[in-house]
Amino acid sequence: LWRLEHCARLLKTNHSRTAASNTSFPAVWMLLAQPSGRIPGPFVVVKKNTYFTMPETVEDKTNPELYLPHPGVRGMTVLDREAFKRTVLVPALKVKKEIVHHVLKSLKQSVLQRPGLKRVVEDPEDEDSRFVILDPHKVPEFSLGEAEQQVLRQLSVHPEVCRYQLELSYENFKSEEILRAVLPQGQEVTSGFSRVGHIAHLNLRDHQLPYRHLIGQVIMDKNPGITCVVNKTNIIDSTYRNFEMEVLAGENNLVTKVKENNISYELDFSKVYWNPRLSTEHGRIVELLRAGDVLFDVFAGVGPFAIPAAKRSCRVFANDLNPDSYSWLLHNCRLNKVDTRVRAFNMDGRDFLRGPVREELSKELPLLKEEQKTAFHVVMNLPALAVEFLDVFRHLLVGEPCGPAALPTVHCYGFSKHSDPARDIQERAEAALGTSLAGRCSTVLVRNVAPNKEMLCLSFQIPADVLYKRPCP
């Protein structure tokens, strides 16, 4: 009786505590289960079947961070994979190996589904049995629901859930889980990156820089095929569109191969511009072209517009000021066997428009007949500056205007931080052209570059009164 009264006082004292911090319940059961001839038998059975042999298991059953690495890795700057090992208690069912498949199929909503972890493990004490590991978030109380228990009884499996000590190591954790465990609590964790062939390109924030080499190694470990991780160390240069970078992990080899829209490119990522996020936009513009059309690519880079356009039997004039981009453009044209359809130039964009573009338009436009379907497109993918180049089109040609259908179509890219980015880029283009584009242009949102910064594409046919300067009478 004294024991029961003492237990009641313990329970009352700790009634308001949470399950995660409550350590009185194990003490209560152990007190009740102490040997005594006056203690009824059922209490002894409670001690035999209780799960409170380890106090931390009370925390495990409601812990949302059950699969996080050992807390001792917090603040690590040099990767130590051994420090990530930990053991957690998870629910499991002991079943005969002959029916494991049926149990997995019947309890697929409750079985552990975490990649990299086995759902079925051997029983070291019984070679004819196996442990089926259950998801501790689906079975938080180490007890299955009535429906699951009924299914198990039909399979002649005892529905009692046991506890299995699951060994976790560095290999079992996701990159985001590892980085969240290492970086100081409350700080942003970035596990995303751009992949350029075998290179992972990161844009780390200042608070992540002390951990940059560890972050690079984790990204490389967790992403097969990545053998080099780099971090951008300055802003993109507007002239050559490249940036300085630091190799964080892996080999110092920045010459890579990429494949976009079924076309292969080779490039030196440290010297030229390549953005894998523009794949969809490259494809969208190329889909507008037909065989026989002419494409003028003012800021061509290594050829993501020019080469697929040439593959569609278009005639292409491609230009880039960066001599490295020009060299890789020539290389990729040969690689894709379109060098006979692409004329490449290494010039300033204005000089390219006033030179080869004006020469070709002056020659081609007067020869076009009504039945001819040739279209002329000008792509200007230099978002930081391209709008400023539009003034070159003012009176670029001299003579009588061609038919409206033959007027070149411009696809001009730009950045905007305006609350109405489409109106902003249109107004800036109108100011450069000296005319209104109302009802004569379309705007496509390409991607969100940063918070409150959008990249857009403004497409329009150059108005005849802008493009042509009529000769004096």
Side-chain angles (χ1 to χ4, degrees), residues 299 348-350 353 380 382 385-393:
F299 313 105
D348 175 77
R350 289 181 179 273
L353 289 168
M380 304 175 70
L382 183 64
L385 298 172
V387 174
E388 299 176 14
F389 284 73
L390 292 177
D391 64 296
V392 176
F393 292 111

Side-chain angles (χ1 to χ4, degrees), residues 158-210:
H158 195 280
E160 180 182 6
V161 177
C162 60
R163 299 196 168 203
Y164 183 83
Q165 290 192 338
L166 184 64
E167 300 286 340
L168 299 177
S169 65
Y170 173 81
E171 287 72 23
N172 300 128
F173 299 113
K174 303 173 184 177
S175 57
E176 185 177 351
E177 293 169 339
I178 292 173
L179 298 181
R180 185 180 290 115
V182 169
L183 268 64
Q185 285 183 320
Q187 290 191 359
E188 180 186 2
V189 175
T190 301
S191 59
F193 58 88
S194 296
R195 181 164 184 169
V196 183
H198 68 275
I199 303 168
H201 169 217
L202 305 174
N203 288 323
L204 297 181
R205 301 185 182 273
D206 290 342
H207 71 271
Q208 298 167 332
L209 293 180

